[in-house]
Amino acid sequence: MSASSSPFDPNVRFDDLVALTRPRSVMIVGASSKPGTLGHTTVVNVLEHSDFDGEVHLVNPKGGELFGKPLHASVDAVPVQGIDVALLLVPAESAVATLRACADKGVRYVIVFTGGFAELGEAGRTVEAEMLALAQRSGMRLYGPNCAGMTMLAPRLGLTFSTEFRNDGRTGKLSRIGLVTQGGGLGRSLMQGNERGVCFSRWFSTGNELDLDSADFINWLAHDPGTDLICTVMEGIRSGPRFIAAAAAARRAGKPLIALKIGRSDFGKKAAQSHTASLAGEDAVNDAVFSQYGVIRVEDLDELLDVASLISRVGVRSLRNICVYSSSGGAGVLSADKVGEAGLSMAVLADETVAEMARHAPVYAALTNPVDLTTKALTDPDLARRCLAPLFADPGVDAVLYPITSNYSASTEGLVRNMLAVAQGGAKAFVPVWMSSRRGPAHDLLIQEGFAPVYSLRNAMQALKRVSAYAEQAADEVQDAPPAGLPAAAPAVPLPCNEAQAKALLAQYGVRAPRESQAATAEAAAAAARAIGFPVALKLVADGVLHKSEIGGVQLRLRDEAEVRQAFASILANAARHQVPAAAIRGVLVSEMVVDGVEMLVGLHRDEVFGPVLSVGAGGVWVEVEADVTRCHLPASRKQIGRALDQTRIARRLASHRGLPARDRAALVDAVQRIAALFTALGDGVQSLEVNPLVVLDEGRGVVALDAVIE
């Protein structure tokens, strides 16, 4: 069993999983001769519903025989060593002893179906820790526990207890789509998407992910020649670096990764903890990571199926210019509304396209976009073929959307058949939307011919939007060289760190502060203010005090020495009233007032899943109210930082507007890189670093850090 490291992060390593995905021997522990039990169904899945010609060994303490194979009384009694995969259907209290026997037998992979471990609390986590330690000592790998196993449909191999495996892939056209889900129920729901024309060819249900996790299987699918597209449903991300490495592998392989991350709300996070003992993670960080590494995030199962179906059929391309083609005027208008709401465009049809349709359409048909052939299309199904062909030839059309409002049995079937005759050979994306609650032959025909219908206009637009955004996003570029002039050695940081110390560190990394001076007495503060020039600001300098304004530790726009002395006394009195220890107080910082510029926030923190994360957006005292912040995982290039910045509303204020000068955006991005470099150099001992506000001055004048906090 070999392992490979990720070129994205050399510290992340993945097994090749060959013995798991293409085993030559399987042992089923807990095999049962009683129909209807999980142990019996699992045996049936391997022996009768799989195309598996390797060795199968069955274990049941009662002994006997099943399907002509002996039931061995124990794992020890199995007469061979080095079994590729063992399937465990044993009670949780027997899991450790059974795993120990598997390790002695030289089993390479163990799929633990059993639940009742970490998802139940501390006692279960203790058992899981023992299981993992045992596996690591022996070199055996664990899949699960609390999982539904593995389903492969090309060729067929069902290492699962599911009674539905026998039906998987039996209807519809099998797609080259891989699926990774932590839970079994949602995964099974998606596998039954074959009834609507979306057929997954591989499914890994990973459960509690004690050892192997979703990233292992995403990475495997990224390298699998039988997979073109990867979908995943994740309750939690166990290891951020592993997930990023797997996502990067999929991106390099040209295989879109579609993710449904559940556990977004506080309620959902609690449910995820109780279900698979996963860490749900801060959802805004998940969003940032998905966007940065090219993961298509969807909101629910329907959207996942719709996006997967669209990509598997038309590939990755921009589909923003939509032509709506219908036999219902109302459906056409409603479709146009949804196109606009999604931020897509109604395609402008070429004159020759309209002229060609006019040769066949009734004079009262609407031949601009949306195209409405009226009910004539139902009474003359061939009309669809004659008028659809020029739309598919129009260079200004990316996708043709057809809302099917009603099922008129044979008429609708004839209409769809003629449409498919054009769509199957066309270069455009064809998106049928089945709007009727009544299915029928036309609906089934779409599925049979590989055109899985979408079931609402809103869902159709969302799928088109997701695919277009993915196609338009450039692949991750090589990381930039670090900014010039950074210190060669990491700085030493006394903790707790006050504002003056934090700004001194920023200065070492090329981020300047305003003209300022630290003063221990009122007279020294007045003298410093006189030297700097009025107006000035006074701020408390005290170790461990992170939010000075909240305790009255900041005084602004002081116009003369008297106001400075009064402010000094007020600040120290406020500090005493809020019980700031006298030993922690270092005086005040006297600073020039910077009154012109755009106030930004640049913050960094260590996310417990993904590690260093950058936040950038609107700053100042209204930062919580504005809530205009976006995030980016580190390391990040200038282009990635700029792309993140563009997601904020305040980014628009950096450009020139109505005679106002443009702000120094380039200096802002440079400062963000320098602040991120400082945070990285400080190491794990620092949890967060925040510069707020970082004032962006006019273009060419740079930026100024007015305040900084290191925690």
Side-chain angles (χ1 to χ4, degrees):
M1 179 171 60
S2 63
S4 63
S5 63
S6 164
F8 192 84
D9 182 346
N11 296 317
V12 172
R13 301 187 67 80
F14 294 108
D15 275 6
D16 57 25
L17 304 181
V18 170
L20 174 66
T21 56
R22 293 195 293 274
R24 300 306 308 148
S25 54
V26 174
M27 176 172 64
I28 303 175
V29 185
S32 173
S33 57
K34 183 178 180 181
T37 62
L38 299 185
H40 187 270
T41 303
T42 302
V43 174
V44 171
N45 284 340
V46 174
L47 293 180
E48 295 191 355
H49 300 304
S50 297
D51 300 325
F52 182 65
D53 58 3
E55 300 175 1
V56 178
H57 307 281
L58 308 180
V59 176
N60 187 303
K62 296 180 180 179
E65 187 178 277
L66 181 60
F67 297 115
K69 293 183 177 294
L71 290 169
H72 301 287
S74 66
V75 172
D76 297 338
V78 175
V80 297
Q81 288 287 121
I83 295 170
D84 286 335
V85 182
L87 311 181
L88 264 59
L89 299 109
V90 299
E93 57 268 22
S94 305
V96 173
T98 307
L99 286 175
R100 190 174 293 113
C102 288
D104 293 341
K105 185 61 63 177
V107 174
R108 292 175 173 84
Y109 293 90
V110 180
I111 301 179
V112 185
F113 296 130
T114 312
F117 295 100
E119 69 274 16
L120 296 186
E122 188 59 37
R125 285 191 286 272
T126 300
V127 176
E128 280 197 356
E130 188 177 356
M131 294 164 63
L132 182 59
L134 190 160
Q136 290 174 337
R137 286 195 302 270
S138 65
M140 182 172 63
R141 302 303 304 272
L142 301 182
Y143 182 136
N146 187 31
C147 73
M150 183 182 84
T151 296
M152 310 282 277
L153 298 181
R156 290 186 69 86
L157 176 63
L159 302 184
T160 176
F161 57 76
S162 175
T163 57
E164 284 300 302
F165 171 67
R166 68 192 69 192
N167 299 319
D168 287 336
R170 300 301 191 191
T171 60
K173 291 186 177 181
L174 193 63
S175 303
R176 293 164 58 90
I177 310 175
L179 177 63
V180 182
T181 69
Q182 284 181 262
L186 293 183
R188 171 51 57 195
S189 176
L190 289 169
M191 288 298 289
Q192 292 181 347
N194 65 321
E195 298 292 335
R196 57 190 279 184
V198 187
C199 303
F200 297 91
S201 58
R202 286 103 164 80
W203 173 32
F204 300 95
S205 167
T206 59
N208 288 11
E209 300 190 347
L210 176 58
D211 180 17
L212 295 172
D213 64 7
S214 296
D216 287 286
F217 299 104
I218 293 171
N219 179 75
W220 184 85
L221 290 166
H223 295 88
D224 173 33
T227 299
D228 295 333
L229 173 63
I230 306 167
C231 298
T232 183
V233 179
M234 315 182 78
E235 297 180 18
I237 299 174
R238 196 184 67 170
S239 166
R242 288 177 61 78
F243 174 79
I244 288 172
R251 189 69 183 243
R252 287 194 304 273
K255 301 181 182 183
L257 173 59
I258 305 170
L260 171 58
K261 172 65 178 67
I262 62 178
R264 303 184 67 162
S265 66
D266 290 339
F267 298 117
K269 290 177 184 178
K270 291 177 182 177
Q273 289 283 353
S274 62
H275 187 195
T276 58
S278 296
L279 183 64
E282 185 184 348
D283 197 60
V285 175
N286 294 330
D287 250 347
V289 169
F290 289 172
S291 175
Q292 191 169 343
Y293 296 105
V295 179
I296 303 172
R297 185 169 192 177
V298 296
E299 303 297 327
D300 57 30
L301 297 181
D302 275 338
E303 189 183 351
L304 187 149
L305 289 170
D306 292 336
V307 175
S309 173
L310 186 59
I311 293 179
S312 66
R313 189 167 73 244
V314 307
V316 175
R317 61 171 99 167
S318 181
L319 301 171
R320 292 195 177 275
N321 296 310
I322 313 300
C323 176
V324 178
Y325 176 93
S326 77
S327 57
S328 163
V333 175
L334 180 58
S335 299
D337 285 344
K338 296 304 176 185
V339 168
E341 289 171 9
L344 303 172
S345 299
M346 293 290 284
V348 178
L349 303 183
D351 292 342
E352 51 267 35
T353 299
V354 176
E356 178 61 23
M357 287 192 295
R359 293 180 57 232
H360 310 287
V363 294
Y364 48 82
L367 300 183
T368 54
N369 193 10
V371 176
D372 175 18
L373 299 181
T374 73
T375 54
K376 180 68 174 176
L378 295 174
T379 59
D380 180 10
D382 193 51
L383 180 63
R385 178 182 55 79
R386 295 194 300 269
C387 289
L388 194 63
L391 294 178
F392 271 77
D394 193 311
V397 174
D398 295 330
V400 177
L401 182 135
Y402 186 80
I404 304 171
T405 57
S406 307
N407 178 17
Y408 289 102
S409 191
S411 295
T412 306
E413 182 181 3
L415 178 65
V416 167
R417 196 175 296 279
N418 277 276
M419 292 164 64
L420 290 178
V422 177
Q424 285 170 328
K428 304 288 190 241
F430 178 59
V431 184
V433 182
W434 192 272
M435 299 173 66
S436 173
S437 296
R438 180 177 295 171
R439 306 293 191 255
H443 172 272
D444 297 342
L445 179 63
L446 288 168
I447 292 174
Q448 291 165 15
E449 296 303 318
F451 287 84
V454 185
Y455 293 116
S456 79
L457 290 168
R458 182 174 56 188
N459 288 5
M461 300 311 162
Q462 190 73 340
L464 290 162
K465 183 177 179 179
R466 299 286 193 201
V467 176
S468 298
Y470 180 81
E472 293 157 8
Q473 181 181 352
D476 292 323
E477 59 277 351
V478 176
Q479 297 299 326
D480 300 331
L486 298 182
V493 184
L495 294 176
C497 186
N498 59 49
E499 178 186 346
Q501 293 168 326
K503 284 181 174 176
L505 289 172
L506 287 171
Q508 292 181 39
Y509 277 73
V511 180
R512 72 182 177 96
R515 289 183 296 127
E516 55 191 14
S517 178
Q518 192 168 335
T521 66
E523 287 305 320
R530 187 169 57 250
I532 292 170
F534 294 99
V536 297
L538 256 62
K539 292 184 283 185
L540 175 68
V541 178
D543 297 341
V545 176
L546 304 182
H547 302 291
K548 299 177 288 295
S549 60
E550 294 180 5
I551 65 169
V554 178
Q555 297 281 338
L556 304 176
R557 300 178 185 87
L558 305 174
R559 295 166 296 180
D560 55 39
E561 294 183 32
E563 287 189 359
V564 169
R565 294 187 186 94
Q566 183 178 354
F568 183 94
S570 177
I571 286 173
L572 264 60
N574 289 337
R577 187 167 63 253
H578 286 85
Q579 300 179 338
V580 177
I585 298 175
R586 310 297 179 189
V588 300
L589 204 59
V590 185
S591 301
E592 70 169 314
M593 289 292 302
V594 179
V595 295
D596 182 40
V598 176
E599 292 188 339
M600 304 290 296
L601 173 141
V602 178
L604 298 111
H605 76 280
R606 298 191 188 281
D607 181 75
E608 55 188 335
V609 174
F610 289 106
V613 173
L614 163 72
S615 299
V616 60
V621 296
W622 298 100
V623 60
E624 292 90 359
V625 175
E626 293 291 338
D628 182 23
V629 174
T630 188
R631 292 166 180 82
C632 187
H633 182 257
L634 296 181
S637 67
R638 289 184 68 88
K639 184 177 288 187
Q640 289 169 331
I641 293 169
R643 199 158 55 211
L645 181 61
D646 286 338
Q647 296 174 19
T648 64
R649 300 185 301 275
I650 199 169
R652 296 193 289 270
R653 292 184 55 197
L654 300 176
S656 61
H657 180 67
R658 293 190 177 181
L660 295 175
R663 307 297 185 172
D664 205 334
R665 179 188 169 106
L668 170 60
V669 175
D670 183 71
V672 170
Q673 283 191 297
R674 292 177 180 277
I675 296 167
L678 169 59
F679 184 72
T680 301
L682 292 174
D684 294 342
V686 171
Q687 177 63 27
S688 67
L689 189 163
E690 181 179 296
V691 181
N692 179 34
L694 179 71
V695 177
V696 186
L697 304 175
D698 291 352
E699 195 165 29
R701 294 182 55 204
V703 298
V704 182
L706 298 192
D707 199 357
V709 173
I710 295 176
E711 188 175 1

